Amino acid sequence: MRIDIFWMIIGMGIVTYLPRMLPFVLFKGKELPPFIQGVLRNVPYATLGALIFPAILLIKEDDIWYGVLGAGAAFLASYLGANVIVVVIGSIAVLTLYSYLM
């Protein structure tokens, strides 16, 4: 392996590790205010929503209903308390049926 690639890998490892390690070191023994804790608890859900929502609308360029029906089926199944696998399979089944009908 070339030495420049080796140092690049080491540098990328340090740059990736520092932002993950610093909060543990800086906030050790301290408790964040409840508002900040609430915000941080909701970040994964907000990020997931921001990633999924555009994909729902743009999954099929000429047919917006394709994504909307699939998301609707998934939301309904999850609202009714279905397992994750059932939600995914149900959404796929609805989209398969819609594809055959259209």
Side-chain angles (χ1 to χ4, degrees):
M1 180 181 348
R2 295 185 349 210
I3 194 70
D4 55 337
I5 293 177
F6 173 76
W7 286 113
M8 190 180 308
I9 292 171
I10 296 296
M12 288 188 301
I14 291 170
V15 168
T16 302
Y17 181 72
L18 279 176
R20 295 172 189 225
M21 183 259 321
L22 282 177
F24 289 114
V25 172
L26 295 177
F27 296 116
K28 185 177 183 179
K30 298 177 185 173
E31 190 165 329
L32 295 173
F35 176 75
I36 300 296
Q37 288 180 5
V39 168
L40 292 176
R41 264 191 228 108
N42 290 316
V43 166
Y45 302 114
T47 305
L48 187 62
L51 291 171
I52 290 176
F53 186 72
I56 288 172
L57 299 177
L58 301 173
I59 191 168
K60 208 170 181 184
E61 288 183 21
D62 58 338
D63 190 8
I64 194 169
W65 287 106
Y66 192 80
V68 172
L69 284 174
F75 290 144
L76 179 64
S78 62
Y79 179 75
L80 295 174
N83 188 339
V84 174
I85 299 299
V86 174
V87 171
V88 171
I89 292 173
S91 182
I92 291 171
V94 166
L95 291 180
T96 303
L97 182 64
Y98 178 72
S99 294
Y100 282 127
L101 294 176
M102 293 299 159

